């Protein structure tokens, strides 16, 4: 386990939209290098970069055309090297995004695989044996190649699935078993890509759709085995590099697959969703909502089991948001956002802050889809730095920007939030600072439930000598709590402890030392 994960707090950067240094309207690697001080100033000491590889950008770069080349719009390999060098000199770490499940249909492997003539890439993707074979249970693109067959896609139509074989072979005419040499060759090709960048100096990867490799693998047994093998390679040759999976199943990802971290994703109705983003027939039933109609037990039932079974092996990663979901501001008011951050950054695991969430950036619902973003586009708009042109993101003319900046008169910017009392920025940076200062609030320290009852507030938990209380509802609440408050560490709103009970006012949060 890389030691630096013990104290890691990540910042996710969507590179298109962070900072543009060459006035072409799109963010670039030099821009990220220039803003490293800003990121560090937030308390984030690690970065996840969305894909920066050469791509036709039909899915914002998750459609890789050349795994080993930096997309020209972000700069070149030297720029990446400079970013890594500077980050490392600041004791920061950088993860690239690895897309193992598919490539762009413009990738040279696919161009070869599509041909009628057999080659080393004939089995790199999943083709049926003839064009009239198209079982409806598979997402197939039908009959458009020289080769006689249809191919499986993993996501959008331009993202053919790489062939790691099938766990259960139901159509032996065209499905290879997962231990077939061609399936193994795909896994080796993946490791070759990883080695390339790890040798280059990156600190690991966020892994896209990590559970999508082997098909007909409901329990993900063969898929986890591929990752276990990758983990062995990393432990042996890159012991300081880290992997975080887009999986949302810590037992399969961390325990079986060997991932160091697994994202707690927003899957409607799961623990994460019912905490922060749970709209039921238009009504907000999230736990983090002043309406107070939330139920913490859905989260606890899921989280506690996963946490107990994986806490000695890896980390569950909370995130404020990512590039695939509406921003938190779409669901929560500013008070509630602050409480949600206070909770996420005092839970165990390795937490992730999405760029702009420290400002309370808006989810821009009115935008036309960009590069396959669709409903996700509104969370991918340019970072808001200051009151200058394009809110400081770029010196290009406004019509050249990747996406428009928030045109609201009161749009939050780093400039107008950074020193503002009571801002989301102030709150989240305070909490991250405490996480670094107090080891018992950090990634590895134990977690224990103090109070979490069905349909009730608050949620309270212990981290070592500290007790944390959060009441996002609009009502004051009181629970029995017979420990003494030795020291007040942090408060949002109001909370009182008299050795018998804890009174947590509406929309409030507190950390106290009790031992
Ligand atoms: C998940 C990524 O986060 C998303 O942005 C992408 O479109 C899909 N995987 C496909 O790669």
């Amino acid at each position: 386990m890389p030691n630096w994960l013990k104290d890691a707090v990540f910042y996710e950067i969507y590179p298109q939209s962070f900072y543009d240094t060459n006035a072409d309207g799109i963010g670039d690697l030099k821009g990220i290098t220039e803003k490293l001080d800003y990121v560090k100033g937030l308390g984030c000491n690690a970065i996840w970069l969305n894909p920066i590889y050469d791509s036709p950008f039909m899915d914002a770069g998750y459609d890789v055309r050349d795994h080993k080349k930096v997309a020209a719009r972000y700069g070149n390999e030297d720029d990446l090297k400079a970013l890594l060098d500077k980050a490392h000199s600041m004791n920061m770490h950088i993860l690239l995004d690895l897309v193992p499940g598919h490539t762009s249909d413009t990738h040279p492997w696919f161009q070869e695989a599509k041909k009628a003539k057999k080659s080393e890439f004939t089995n790199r993707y999943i083709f049926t044996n003839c064009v009239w074979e198209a079982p409806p249970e598979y997402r197939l693109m039908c009959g458009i190649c020289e080769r006689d067959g249809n191919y499986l896609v993993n996501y959008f139509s331009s993202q053919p699935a790489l062939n790691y074989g099938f766990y259960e072979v139901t159509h032996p005419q065209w499905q290879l078993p997962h231990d077939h040499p061609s399936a193994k060759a795909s896994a080796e090709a993946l490791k070759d890509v990883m080695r390339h960048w790890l040798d280059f100096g990156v600190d690991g990867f966020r892994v896209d759709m990590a559970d999508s490799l082997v098909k007909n693998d409901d329990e993900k047994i063969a898929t986890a085995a591929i990752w276990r093998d990758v983990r062995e390679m990393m432990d042996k040759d890159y012991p300081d590099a880290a992997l975080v999976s887009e999986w949302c199943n810590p037992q399969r990802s961390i325990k079986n697959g060997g991932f160091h971290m697994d994202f707690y994703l927003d899957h409607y109705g799961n623990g994460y969703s019912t905490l922060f983003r749970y709209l039921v027939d238009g009504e907000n039933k999230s736990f983090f909502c002043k309406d107070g109609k939330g139920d913490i037990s859905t989260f606890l039932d899921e989280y506690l089991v996963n946490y107990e079974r994986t806490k000695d092996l890896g980390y569950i990663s909370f995130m404020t948001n990512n590039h695939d979901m509406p921003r938190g501001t779409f669901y929560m008011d500013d008070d509630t956002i602050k409480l949600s951050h206070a909770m996420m950054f005092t839970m165990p695991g390795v937490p992730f802050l999405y760029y702009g969430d420290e400002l309370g950036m808006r989810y821009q619902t009115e935008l036309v889809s960009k590069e396959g973003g669709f409903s996700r586009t509104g969370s991918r708009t340019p970072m808001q730095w200051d009151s200058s042109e394009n809110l400081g993101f770029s010196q290009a003319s406004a019509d050249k920007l990747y996406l428009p900046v928030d045109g609201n008169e009161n749009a939050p910017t780093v400039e107008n939030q950074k020193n503002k009392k009571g801002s989301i920025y102030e709150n989240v940076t305070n909490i991250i600072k405490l996480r670094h200062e107090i080891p018992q609030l950090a990634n590895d320290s134990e977690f224990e439930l103090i109070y979490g009852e069905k349909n009730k507030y608050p949620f309270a938990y212990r981290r070592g000598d500290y007790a944390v209380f959060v009441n996002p509802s609009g009502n004051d609440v009181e629970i029995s709590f017979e420990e003494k408050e030795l020291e007040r560490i942090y408060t949002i709103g109001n909370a009182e402890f008299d050795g018998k009970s804890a009174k947590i006012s509406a929309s409030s949060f507190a950390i106290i030392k009790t031992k």
Side-chain angles (χ1 to χ4, degrees), residues 90-159:
M90 296 167 69
N91 205 14
M92 296 174 80
H93 293 86
I94 298 204
L95 303 191
L96 298 187
D97 212 317
L98 182 73
V99 191
H102 48 269
T103 66
S104 159
D105 57 0
T106 59
H107 194 292
W109 295 345
F110 192 68
Q111 294 301 313
E112 285 306 308
K114 267 168 57 174
K115 291 182 181 160
K117 188 165 172 277
K118 287 211 167 22
S119 73
E120 119 181 58
F121 299 107
T122 299
N123 287 337
R124 183 55 54 88
Y125 299 84
I126 305 170
F127 279 82
T128 62
N129 52 316
C130 92
V131 79
W132 313 120
E133 171 76 0
E137 64 271 30
Y138 296 100
R139 290 183 64 204
L140 291 163
M141 291 298 292
C142 297
I144 56 162
C145 313
E146 180 188 275
R147 175 174 176 172
D148 185 7
N150 304 303
Y151 60 88
L152 207 75
V153 298
N154 225 25
Y155 204 70
F156 288 139
S157 59
S158 65
Q159 291 161 306

Side-chain angles (χ1 to χ4, degrees), residues 59 62 99 102 155-156 159 206 208-209 246 323-324 376 380:
D59 182 17
Y62 284 95
V99 191
H102 48 269
Y155 204 70
F156 288 139
Q159 291 161 306
R206 174 268 188 183
D208 185 73
M209 294 171 70
E246 185 194 30
H323 62 289
D324 289 335
R376 310 174 294 183
R380 300 176 173 186

Side-chain angles (χ1 to χ4, degrees), residues 478-496:
E478 180 172 351
I479 55 168
S480 152
F481 183 70
E482 294 184 348
E483 294 178 56
K484 281 223 164 62
E485 173 181 1
L486 299 181
E487 190 187 339
R488 180 64 61 106
I489 306 297
Y490 196 72
T491 319
I492 301 172
N494 189 45
E496 284 166 37

